[in-house]
Amino acid sequence: MKINLSFKYQALALALFAVTQSYVGLAQAATSSAVANAAADGAEAPVNTVRERYTKYEYQIPMRDGVKLFTVVYVPKDSSQTYPFLMQRTPYGSGVHAGGETHYGVDFYPNSLGPGRDFEQSGYIFVSQDVRGRYMSEGVWQEMTPHAKAARAAGEGIESQDMHDTVEWLLRNVPGNNGKVGIWGISYPGFYTSASIIDSHPAIKAASPQAPVTDLYMGDDSYHGGAFMLAANFDFYSNFTVEKNPTPLPKTWGHFDYGTRDGYQYFLKHLTLANITAQLSDKQRELLMPTIVHSTYDAFWQERNIAPHLKNIRAAVLTVGGWYDAEDVQGPFTTYHAIRKQQVKKNGERAPFNGLVIGPWVHGGWAAADGKSLGQVSFDSKTGEYYRKQLLFPFFEHHLKDAKIKPVAEVNAFETGTNIWRQYASWPPEQAKAATLYFGADGKLSWKQPAAANIANAANTGFDEYIADPKKPVPFISYVATGAPREYMVSDQRFASVRPDVLVYQTEPLEQDVTIAGPLQPRLFVSTTGSDADWVVKLIDVYPDDYPERSGGRERGSDVPPPSATLAGYQQLVRGEPFRGKFRQSFEQPQPFVPNEVTEVKFSMPDVLHTFRRGHRIMVQVQSSWFPLTDLNPQKFMEIPQAKPEDFQKATQRVYRSATQASGLGVQVITSNKNPLPLTQ
């Protein structure tokens, strides 16, 4: 969402190494992130060609209600031709990071401009704007500005109107423009990109919302399956605070002092959300607490969901996301589908292009990294460079400069496992067919539904059970860290598979490749001795025990080296998602479990495009905590933000796997004549 602008902020601004653990600081400003792109594209950052080739201007642009928005404009000095505008709107400041601080003023120039070196060299009028209520802009800032609000306080605005007014002013007051505007942004600026093109100004010809925060509660930053994303949001909001504006402050961003490197122990020690948030100052809690207090999908969240309002978009749209985006993995899909559903074709006109790019990237990794690997997992090529040069740059060049390019598919998706870019006419792919991986006895996973033990016992009550203790929760990583290290999205799950409170189901080694595309749909038949329970489902690719070691090896001296990592038997997380059981009927009206009563729980997990290679196994793990990635469920039906230490109780959880209570994971399998649906596995 929001990007961790704490200890990563300076690293991003310098753009020397933007893709590391925790949230990436990509939304600082377009101007500072571009240096990382240049490095990722294999180009050395010049001394500073921006000052030589561009003139910087700073404006206070008036909106229709009189509020003025601070806007930075970089105009090419070469006036022999006209240029389109390429704009980013940000809540993270449009200043320039220099000397360890953010500076405003026309004398401060960034090292690079735009989302990649190609843009700067091609020539655009680059624009960066502080959104309403942030940094040097006037007005009142709102979390995920509601597009439709019954009553607005003085100074509050609507993002599409602010964008419209800004475009009108730029067209009239900045000479040398060609009358066309593009807009882009990552994470929170991705939200502003989406929100800014509703009923879009006709001059806006292209927009690229990237990792767009779309519906904070439904699978974006704040909640997944009704479970609060604790580690990431605590880390973010401890630094993302409200400031009196207009102001150039804060010049620097700090990071929260946990007093330890072990986030698991830190949060477990404090246990309750009340105790955890008490560690923050009033200023740090101001924006965090509403996201915690509103624990159901109430009006607070519903009016902040931008997806239903993505209408009357006249611009071509290229939405971008990453399979391993821990913050906003769902946002790109929600945005793409909402635009596609709500496009209206008038008088036989063809609807504007609505494309989707999904690569093997962490949050914003496509903009400032090679995209060649993540943790122990390799993708074999520089996927970030491919995207920037072959997809993003041609997209804007075509729509803003009428450049002739080869038409691209509506969907460009990177298939992990085989490490191949695929092109589709829509998403999910039409050729993907529904199938289910069923849980079986002795930890088996099969494409066939369990059969009844006998006719007389058609309601076979086979089940697996474990004791879930919220005071000994299952960790989400096997190593010590604070925040949410983004490597966890592909991390080895062997540490979890040996815990007694984690159920493990796996296939035999596959006799053929199996490609799964689209959303995952767990369907569980469960019971609990408590009155509430979380159900975490993880889809895992189990590598063969004879998987080849990497070449190169570790040089050894006379001392014993640390153990080397091995991918033999590696249990790579492909997708994991929590679900808070009380929301099984409705996210607005939670319902308790009846203790020991078998109950059906169904939910959706974010999409994947992954091929499980021949010789690998498919594994599914089920557990009732994922800590401290998500907050703890006391396993007692109640308002969890109000829970006290004594409310957290052990519970016995059962997952049923009989003919009539067949728990499993619904998937969509891409089939062909050579690879039919693998129902014989």
Side-chain angles (χ1 to χ4, degrees), residues 332-403:
F333 294 101
T334 302
T335 298
Y336 164 76
H337 288 302
I339 293 174
R340 198 170 197 264
K341 178 182 179 180
Q342 294 166 167
Q343 282 181 327
V344 177
K345 299 178 182 179
K346 297 181 179 179
N347 301 322
E349 294 180 358
R350 185 176 181 180
F353 177 78
N354 177 42
L356 176 67
V357 177
I358 304 291
W361 305 309
V362 296
H363 191 58
W366 51 90
D370 287 340
K372 192 173 181 179
S373 64
L374 174 57
Q376 297 293 327
V377 178
S378 174
F379 308 122
D380 298 334
S381 65
K382 294 182 179 181
T383 63
E385 180 178 320
Y386 172 85
Y387 151 77
R388 291 189 292 273
K389 289 185 173 293
Q390 303 299 323
L391 298 174
L392 184 67
F393 180 64
F395 168 76
F396 278 115
E397 286 281 294
H398 175 65
H399 292 287
L400 300 182
K401 295 185 177 182
D402 297 323

Side-chain angles (χ1 to χ4, degrees), residues 538-550:
K538 298 185 293 187
L539 176 65
I540 295 162
D541 185 340
V542 183
Y543 292 26
D545 290 335
D546 61 351
Y547 195 88
E549 297 295 332
R550 292 191 178 96

Side-chain angles (χ1 to χ4, degrees), residues 7-191:
F7 66 96
K8 294 301 168 194
Y9 183 85
Q10 182 175 357
L12 170 74
L14 296 175
L16 296 176
F17 189 68
V19 181
T20 52
Q21 67 180 26
S22 187
Y23 284 157
V24 65
L26 280 166
Q28 188 231 1
T31 55
S32 57
S33 67
V35 179
N37 298 325
D41 291 344
E44 293 184 3
V47 174
N48 195 323
T49 61
V50 175
R51 186 184 295 272
E52 296 175 2
R53 300 174 59 191
Y54 289 83
T55 301
K56 180 181 180 180
Y57 300 91
E58 294 182 341
Y59 301 106
Q60 289 283 5
I61 298 180
M63 301 294 104
R64 63 191 65 184
D65 63 346
V67 166
K68 296 178 180 178
L69 301 188
F70 183 85
T71 308
V72 181
V73 181
Y74 297 89
V75 180
K77 292 182 178 179
D78 179 4
S79 59
S80 64
Q81 58 181 304
T82 59
Y83 303 90
F85 294 100
L86 186 56
M87 183 173 179
Q88 180 176 214
R89 307 184 66 233
T90 177
Y92 298 126
S94 58
V96 174
H97 201 79
E101 294 183 342
T102 298
H103 298 271
Y104 284 81
V106 295
D107 294 322
F108 289 94
Y109 278 74
N111 290 323
S112 188
L113 292 170
R117 182 67 65 187
D118 290 330
F119 289 86
E120 180 189 328
Q121 294 174 344
S122 177
Y124 286 78
I125 300 173
F126 295 99
V127 181
S128 182
Q129 183 178 75
D130 291 347
V131 295
R132 183 179 289 248
R134 295 294 294 177
Y135 280 87
M136 293 297 290
S137 285
E138 299 175 351
V140 176
W141 183 78
Q142 302 173 80
E143 179 87 86
M144 294 288 291
T145 314
H147 183 75
K149 193 175 183 180
R152 297 188 185 275
E156 293 182 347
I158 300 174
E159 300 306 333
S160 60
Q161 292 181 357
D162 285 353
M163 182 64 182
H164 188 283
D165 295 350
T166 299
V167 169
E168 280 288 300
W169 192 95
L170 290 171
L171 292 172
R172 292 195 309 266
N173 292 279
V174 178
N177 73 78
N178 71 355
K180 297 182 179 181
V181 180
I183 182 171
W184 74 287
I186 300 172
S187 193
Y188 225 143
F191 158 76

Side-chain angles (χ1 to χ4, degrees), residues 240-547:
F240 188 71
T241 56
V242 174
E243 303 287 343
K244 291 182 179 180
N245 64 297
T247 178
L249 302 175
K251 285 185 175 294
T252 60
W253 293 73
H255 67 275
F256 182 78
D257 184 6
Y258 291 86
T260 177
R261 295 181 182 273
D262 191 340
Y264 181 95
Q265 292 299 332
Y266 176 85
F267 287 111
L268 191 60
K269 177 179 69 174
H270 297 296
L271 192 64
T272 70
L273 287 174
N275 288 343
I276 289 169
T277 55
Q279 310 310 308
L280 301 172
S281 67
D282 290 343
K283 184 177 182 179
Q284 291 171 315
R285 285 194 296 269
E286 184 176 357
L287 296 177
L288 173 62
M289 291 312 297
T291 70
I292 292 177
V293 171
H294 293 277
S295 60
T296 63
Y297 194 58
D298 59 13
F300 175 85
W301 298 111
Q302 293 173 20
E303 72 176 9
R304 285 165 170 77
N305 176 14
I306 199 66
H309 306 290
L310 295 175
K311 302 175 182 178
N312 298 324
I313 296 174
R314 302 179 180 91
V317 179
L318 184 68
T319 303
V320 181
W323 293 124
Y324 307 118
D325 185 341
E327 291 84 348
D328 297 296
V329 67
Q330 183 59 42
F333 294 101
T334 302
T335 298
Y336 164 76
H337 288 302
I339 293 174
R340 198 170 197 264
K341 178 182 179 180
Q342 294 166 167
Q343 282 181 327
V344 177
K345 299 178 182 179
K346 297 181 179 179
N347 301 322
E349 294 180 358
R350 185 176 181 180
F353 177 78
N354 177 42
L356 176 67
V357 177
I358 304 291
W361 305 309
V362 296
H363 191 58
W366 51 90
D370 287 340
K372 192 173 181 179
S373 64
L374 174 57
Q376 297 293 327
V377 178
S378 174
F379 308 122
D380 298 334
S381 65
K382 294 182 179 181
T383 63
E385 180 178 320
Y386 172 85
Y387 151 77
R388 291 189 292 273
K389 289 185 173 293
Q390 303 299 323
L391 298 174
L392 184 67
F393 180 64
F395 168 76
F396 278 115
E397 286 281 294
H398 175 65
H399 292 287
L400 300 182
K401 295 185 177 182
D402 297 323
K404 302 302 179 182
I405 64 169
K406 181 181 178 180
V408 297
E410 181 170 315
V411 177
N412 286 268
F414 189 84
E415 182 180 294
T416 54
T418 53
N419 295 342
I420 299 172
W421 281 100
R422 303 290 189 188
Q423 288 74 42
Y424 300 107
S426 61
W427 186 263
E430 293 181 358
Q431 57 267 50
K433 305 301 180 184
T436 300
L437 286 160
Y438 291 101
F439 304 165
D442 302 318
K444 295 186 181 301
L445 192 65
S446 170
W447 297 103
K448 289 189 175 182
Q449 184 171 339
N454 53 61
I455 296 177
N457 190 22
N460 186 298
T461 55
F463 61 83
D464 298 299
E465 69 177 15
Y466 57 93
I467 296 174
D469 185 351
K471 295 184 179 179
K472 295 180 181 178
V474 181
F476 75 104
I477 50 176
S478 61
Y479 49 88
V480 171
T482 56
R486 292 169 301 152
E487 179 275 343
Y488 95 84
M489 296 286 282
V490 296
S491 65
D492 192 351
Q493 299 300 302
R494 281 178 284 199
F495 76 96
S497 65
V498 297
R499 285 183 59 115
D501 50 358
V502 176
L503 299 182
V504 178
Y505 304 93
Q506 66 177 334
T507 66
E508 295 298 320
L510 299 173
E511 296 179 1
Q512 63 187 38
D513 288 359
V514 175
T515 300
I516 294 176
L520 308 177
Q521 305 284 341
R523 185 188 185 197
L524 308 179
F525 291 88
V526 301
S527 67
T528 176
T529 56
S531 52
D532 190 15
D534 285 359
W535 306 96
V536 179
V537 175
K538 298 185 293 187
L539 176 65
I540 295 162
D541 185 340
V542 183
Y543 292 26
D545 290 335
D546 61 351
Y547 195 88

